[in-house]
Amino acid sequence: MGSAPLLSELLCTEVAACAAAVGHRLRVVPRPEWSAAAQARRADPAPPALILWGLAPGETAGPEPGPDGGQDRPEPPIVAVTLDGSSAPPGALCLPSRSQQLCRILARTRPANSEPPVRGRAAVVVHDGPGADGDEHWPGLSWALTLLLGGPGRGLLVDAQGPQGSLSTRLRALAPPADRCVSWDGMQDLPVPGPALASHLPGAGGVRWWGWTSSKSAARPRMDDDWVQVAVETFPWTVVDVGKDQDRARDGAERGMALLVCTDRGLPAGRQLPADVLLQVTPRQRPSHAARHRDARRGSALAGEPAGSVRVDAQDWDGTSLASWNRSSRSGSARRLAAEIELRLDGAGTLEPGWPVAGRALR
């Protein structure tokens, strides 16, 4: 940025904060070194994914595009950035008022010639059982699905009921957030988090967790696309727990997320959900094999043509501590549960959601 040192430092600080928020690294190159840096960039085996060109107040143009490096080495895109209050040319981003947009651009950007990033997968889970959120007899199941499908520290559990939901209350009681955890109430104002910011989400036994509160007073707010997009940009697996809210579960299914229905009974008539997987929960006192098989078939027929049903033992996930859930997650039945769910989602073609993320389809 060809300007006073203070303005240059302010702009660099804002850009650096955006880069850190999405897990990118930033290299600052002074204007006099631009030509030499361009030559080094063309020889670098790992060229930058994006070049940000700082504009001083009054400047209205960035650098001329350099010569194309050829089909094997295209030039990285250039985005002009400047501070608020400056006269900016069309297409330039004024920071910090448009820092969130810069974060989203950075989150979507990858180096030239690199493999497309592996996008996360998301599933919405609805419970049809006793209790306020329908999972009184298997309170650890959503936590287990997040851990088993994503792996320790790689999955995100989202409470769609908000911070006052029973799932959030339970997780806060089990694992109080550390001092450096991101504040729950301010999450909806943050840009797409990368690994740097995601590492500050609250954790519970190897599972990161998150939720939101609707800013509208609608009786049934639709699931926020931006929030699901944030999760899929960042985590390999996201499990969205909607409790008993079948309408919200349908919203998620309409957006292409896999739909998992957990039930220990047949779904009520007229409320069928297009479940991809029916998790047929057996009670603590296990019925006979014949009765369990009959109930699973009955539940599958009522679930709206699911891809298949998977038996879940409620006693594996009925504890109220992370220690009990951790023990259950290491059991053979837990590994079977994860394998059967992925097998059925794969057969249903729902392993990769088809709704757009960061302006493009995932498929």
Side-chain angles (χ1 to χ4, degrees):
M1 180 173 177
S3 181
L6 176 59
L7 295 179
S8 295
E9 183 177 351
L10 288 174
L11 183 60
C12 285
T13 300
E14 187 64 28
V15 172
C18 294
V22 297
H24 276 285
R25 292 178 296 174
L26 178 68
R27 178 188 174 192
V28 179
V29 178
R31 287 276 183 92
E33 301 176 15
W34 167 251
S35 297
Q39 295 297 328
R41 186 178 68 250
R42 295 187 182 98
D44 192 337
L50 184 69
I51 295 175
L52 301 174
W53 185 264
L55 295 178
E59 283 190 299
T60 58
E64 292 293 329
D68 192 349
Q71 185 175 1
D72 295 333
R73 179 56 64 86
E75 285 288 295
I78 298 177
V79 175
V81 293
T82 187
L83 291 173
D84 283 333
S86 304
S87 56
L93 298 180
C94 292
L95 309 180
S97 62
R98 298 180 70 184
S99 291
Q100 182 168 341
Q101 183 176 351
L102 176 58
C103 286
R104 293 189 179 277
I105 292 173
L106 289 169
R108 298 195 301 261
T109 304
R110 60 186 177 89
N113 290 333
S114 64
E115 292 295 324
V118 177
R119 297 295 181 180
R121 298 174 288 183
V124 57
V125 180
V126 59
H127 298 287
D128 183 53
D133 284 348
D135 62 347
E136 183 177 292
H137 290 172
W138 54 89
L141 185 56
S142 289
W143 180 93
L145 294 174
T146 311
L147 177 65
L148 295 173
L149 295 174
R154 301 176 69 245
L156 178 68
L157 174 57
V158 179
D159 182 7
Q161 303 301 311
Q164 304 308 318
S166 63
L167 174 61
S168 299
T169 303
R170 186 185 307 139
L171 288 173
R172 280 198 297 269
L174 294 176
D179 292 339
R180 297 192 64 199
C181 282
V182 174
S183 171
W184 186 292
D185 294 335
M187 288 301 294
Q188 64 268 26
D189 299 323
L190 291 174
V192 177
L197 185 57
S199 66
H200 293 292
L201 292 176
V207 173
R208 296 290 173 181
W209 55 280
W210 191 9
W212 66 79
T213 303
S214 173
S215 59
K216 300 178 181 179
S217 60
R220 186 182 61 84
R222 290 177 64 85
M223 193 174 295
D224 193 329
D225 283 332
D226 290 339
W227 283 75
V228 178
Q229 172 179 311
V230 165
V232 176
E233 287 280 356
T234 309
F235 291 88
W237 253 108
T238 300
V239 173
V240 181
D241 189 317
V242 299
K244 287 184 173 181
D245 194 337
Q246 294 191 16
D247 291 322
R248 183 166 283 178
R250 200 182 307 274
D251 287 344
E254 289 174 355
R255 285 160 170 74
M257 286 191 289
L259 177 59
L260 278 60
V261 176
C262 310
T263 183
D264 56 3
R265 65 194 78 174
L267 295 181
R271 301 292 287 174
Q272 294 88 350
L273 291 170
D276 295 296
V277 179
L278 178 71
L279 300 177
Q280 189 70 50
V281 184
T282 59
R284 187 172 182 84
Q285 297 297 325
R286 298 182 182 179
S288 66
H289 176 77
R292 187 166 61 239
H293 183 65
R294 181 182 64 251
D295 291 342
R297 287 189 301 170
R298 177 172 174 264
S300 298
L302 292 172
E305 299 182 356
S309 61
V310 176
R311 181 175 57 84
V312 179
D313 291 328
Q315 65 183 6
D316 289 341
W317 310 106
D318 63 356
T320 57
S321 69
L322 287 174
S324 65
W325 298 350
N326 275 323
R327 286 193 298 269
S328 295
S329 68
R330 293 192 293 267
S331 67
S333 61
R335 294 193 297 270
R336 173 195 59 80
L337 174 65
E340 290 193 19
I341 289 175
E342 291 221 41
L343 179 64
R344 281 157 176 77
L345 291 180
D346 189 24
T350 57
L351 273 180
E352 291 186 352
W355 40 267
V357 170
R360 60 186 178 220
L362 291 182
R363 297 187 179 188

